[in-house]
Amino acid sequence: MIYSSPELNYSASEVGRTPWSAAGLLASPRSPKASQYLLYIFLTATSMGQQPVEQVWIKSAPAPNSTVARIRPDVHSAEIGENEVTVRSAGISLAYLGPLELSPLPRSDVREFVFKIPRNPAPETGNHAHVPLDYIGVFVNGVPIPNHFEAASYQGQNLWHYDLVARGDDGSLTTTGAQRTAVTHPAAPGLLNKLATTRAANSPIIGFALDGYPIYGPWSEAKRIRSSYQLRKITTRDRWPDGTLLAPGQAGPPVSREYPLGTFVEDYEYVVGSGDLDQYNGRVTAGTYAYFLSTDAQGRLAFPYLLAHEFQGRYTAPPPAAMTNFQTGRPALLRFKAVRHLEHVHERPMHVMVISPDLATFAHIHPEPTPFGDWEVTHTFPLPGRYRVYSEFTPPGANQRIEFFDVQVTGRAQTPEAQPRPRVVLENAASLHAGQDVELLFGVKDPIPQWQPYLGAWAHVAIAGEWLSSFLHAHPAENGEGKIRLSEVHSHSPEALGPPPNKIRVAAVFPKAGRYKLWLQMQVDGHVETTPFEVRVSESLKTAAKVTKVPAGAMEIRITSNGYEPMNVAVPANRKVTLAFLRSGEPNCGTKVVFPELGLTKEIPLGGMALVEIPPSPSGELRFTCGMGMYRGRLVISR
C-alpha cells in the first residue's frame, strides 16, 4: 500500500513503525520529507477554494483494486450533493493528529465511514442536539472525531465521565494530564500539537462537525483562542455543575492525587466571559460560526478540546428504521423522555419490559439516548392487542423509578419463536403466600456450560400479576448479602459474583392471591434465554400484628416502591440517634436495611417497622441501603 505524490513515495506500513518525535515536530528520522509534506497539506488546506467543506479534504491516491480501496488511508471520496458533502474513508491516515483522533472505543477491523456534512449549516434556534455517543465529526484526513467524554465513567455508573484525553496523558500534552501509575504509555504528540505550539495569524481548518460548521486550529487574528470552560472549585464530587445534589452512592471520588481536578468532564463548568468561546466551544469568525481547538498558554490541549456537549448548529440524526404506529411483525419505535445521563443500574441506564395483560408475551429491552434528549429502542410485537410497557431507570439525585404506559398493537398474530429447554426449575412454587416476603428458589437442573453473567447478575426475574395488577423486577440474592460495599452498589463483575450457583434465590413480594407469571432470564454462550413460570399464590398466612407506632424522639424513614423517603436525613453529631424504618405493604425491596460502615443489618417486615440505633458519630456521612443495594439513603451528620 503506497501513498503517492509528486514529492513522496511512502509506505503506510512504514508509518506504523516510525514514531513521531516527542517535540511534536512531525519529523520522522527515516523520512523527514514525508512529515513535512503532510504538514504542508494540513496548513494550506483552507486556501484551496471558496467552499472549504468541498475542497479541504486530504484525499488518498486511486487504488489498483477493490481490496486495497477498502483500506486506503485518508479520504476515499468527497461527493458534492445539493445540500451536503458525503465523505468516505476507512478512518485511517498517514497524518497522525495526536490523542484527539484516538478512539476510546475498540475497533476490531477496518471499515468504511460515511459522513454527511451539510454544505450550508445554520444555527439551531430551538433545543440544541447533544453530540452523539460515538463520533462528533471528521478530521480533514478522514479520521473520525470521537466523543471522548462519554465512553467511560467512574465505576461504570454513567454519572462522572472520564476525560479520556487527559486521562491518557502525563501532563505534557494536556492541561490537566497528570503523572499516574495508570499512564504507562502516554499518548504521542501529533499535527494538532504542532499547530497548538506554532504561532500563526489564522489556523487552518482541521475538520468539520456533523452540524456542518468547520473546526479551526487554536489561532484567529494572531490571537490564541481560549475556552470558557473552567475547573470548578470543589474538593468533593457530590453535585453536578448544574447544581444537582446527587443521591447516596452517586457521588464521584474526592479530589485527590489519583483523581485530581480535571479527571472528569463534570469537574468543569462554563463561565461566561472567562474565555473567547461560547458554551459550544465556538465563535463567529470571518462571517461564519466555527469551533476551535482550545489550548492553554503553553500550547497544551485544553478542555473541551474541539466541541463541548452540544452542537451549536442544526443537526439531523439518521432516522430510526422503525414505525411509530404499532403493527405485529414489524419493528416499532418506542420513545421515552428522560435526562441523558441516567445512572447505569445492572449495566444499563434504562430497562424496559414489554408485557401483554394476559401475560402471554414478555420482552426485556434497553433503549439508548438520542441527541435530542429522548431514549429510543425498536421492538417487534408478536401478537395484536394491548401491551403495557414498563420503564425502569435511576435519575441523578433520585432513587430508582418504574413508570409505565399502554400501547395498542394491530395486525396478524406471528408464529412464536421456539423456546429453549428449561435449565432451571422453581422448587417452591407450591408454598407461595400473598402479603409477605418470600424467597423464590430456582434449582439448576444440570451443569450449564458457557453460563455467563447477564447485566451484572447470574439471572434476572420479572414478575407480573394477572392482568398486570402488579409488577416487580427482581435480582438474585448474592453471596455476602448484607455486607455491601458502597463502592460496588449497582456495579458488578463476574469476579464479584463468584462461580455459577446451584440455586438462584430471589426475594419477592406478591401483594395479593392469584395467578402470576415469572420470567427468568439468563445468558448462555452469548444468548439470553427466557424461561417462563406460572404460579398460583395463596392467601396470606395469619401473622401477629406489626408494630408501626413510632416512638417519641425517633426519626422516621419510610420505605416504598420508590425507595427511602427521605433519602437524606440530617442528624446531630456525637449523639445517639434512633431511626424508625416504616415499610409499606406494597411490593418493594426494603426487606433489610444495611449500614455498611457500621456492619449493621436489620430485618424490616412488610407493612411493619424496625428501629435502628445509631451510636454517637462525628461529623460526616453514613450511608445505608436495602439488602440488594437498590434503595439508598444517607445520614448527614453535623454539629
Side-chain angles (χ1 to χ4, degrees), residues 359-420:
L359 310 183
T361 61
F362 167 83
H364 181 179
I365 52 182
H366 301 102
E368 294 293 337
T370 74
F372 303 98
D374 300 325
W375 292 74
E376 293 181 349
V377 65
T378 59
H379 176 66
T380 301
F381 294 90
L383 301 174
R386 185 170 65 89
Y387 288 79
R388 179 157 293 177
V389 180
Y390 293 92
S391 174
E392 180 180 281
F393 57 96
T394 304
N399 267 318
Q400 186 182 57
R401 297 179 183 173
I402 296 180
E403 298 180 357
F404 67 86
F405 60 91
D406 293 339
V407 299
Q408 190 71 31
V409 178
T410 60
R412 296 181 178 180
Q414 304 295 300
T415 303
E417 295 182 1
Q419 297 296 321

Side-chain angles (χ1 to χ4, degrees), residues 86-238:
T86 301
V87 179
R88 301 177 187 273
S89 78
I92 56 179
S93 175
L94 297 182
Y96 172 65
L97 302 180
L100 292 182
E101 78 166 32
L102 301 178
S103 175
L105 302 173
R107 284 162 45 195
S108 58
D109 59 353
V110 177
R111 54 183 173 143
E112 184 178 59
F113 290 89
V114 179
F115 300 94
K116 295 185 180 297
I117 310 299
R119 293 181 63 190
N120 301 294
E124 178 58 72
T125 57
N127 294 329
H128 289 255
H130 197 287
V131 296
L133 290 172
D134 47 8
Y135 302 111
I136 64 178
V138 57
F139 288 114
V140 294
N141 62 355
V143 174
I145 303 176
N147 180 343
H148 289 282
F149 298 154
E150 296 182 78
S153 60
Y154 180 65
Q155 295 181 347
Q157 288 181 277
N158 196 38
L159 297 173
W160 293 90
H161 299 87
Y162 287 106
D163 175 354
L164 294 179
V165 180
R167 190 70 175 168
D169 176 46
D170 61 2
S172 59
L173 301 182
T174 64
T175 301
T176 55
Q179 293 187 353
R180 57 175 67 87
T181 55
V183 184
T184 56
H185 300 287
L191 280 170
L192 297 186
N193 303 91
K194 175 63 176 176
L195 289 178
T197 55
T198 302
R199 188 177 184 88
N202 295 288
S203 292
I205 291 176
I206 61 176
F208 277 85
L210 295 182
D211 63 354
Y213 285 122
I215 306 172
Y216 283 89
W219 296 91
S220 178
E221 300 176 355
K223 174 184 176 182
R224 184 185 296 277
I225 302 301
R226 300 170 299 131
S227 163
S228 297
Y229 281 85
Q230 306 293 321
L231 287 172
R232 299 161 62 197
K233 295 178 174 60
I234 56 174
T235 57
T236 59
R237 294 182 169 104
D238 58 355

Side-chain angles (χ1 to χ4, degrees), residues 575-586:
R575 287 178 54 185
K576 182 179 178 181
V577 176
T578 299
L579 303 176
F581 287 88
L582 286 88
R583 185 180 171 202
S584 70
E586 61 184 331

Side-chain angles (χ1 to χ4, degrees), residues 296-373:
D296 66 6
Q298 289 74 45
R300 296 179 298 176
L301 304 178
F303 182 91
Y305 311 114
L306 299 172
L307 275 69
H309 310 293
E310 298 175 333
F311 290 117
Q312 197 275 349
R314 294 175 187 169
Y315 171 69
T316 302
M323 303 174 58
T324 53
N325 60 322
F326 305 130
Q327 297 182 18
T328 58
R330 303 180 67 178
L333 180 67
L334 300 177
R335 181 180 290 124
F336 306 84
K337 284 288 186 184
V339 297
R340 181 177 179 87
H341 293 306
L342 299 173
E343 181 179 355
H344 280 199
V345 178
H346 287 283
E347 301 182 355
R348 293 290 189 276
M350 185 181 292
H351 298 261
V352 169
M353 316 286 178
V354 182
I355 308 174
S356 59
D358 60 0
L359 310 183
T361 61
F362 167 83
H364 181 179
I365 52 182
H366 301 102
E368 294 293 337
T370 74
F372 303 98

Side-chain angles (χ1 to χ4, degrees), residues 421-424 443-451 500-502 522 524:
R421 180 179 64 87
R423 299 179 185 271
V424 297
V444 179
K445 288 183 175 182
D446 301 299
I448 303 175
Q450 299 297 316
W451 186 5
N502 295 321
M522 59 198 310
V524 180

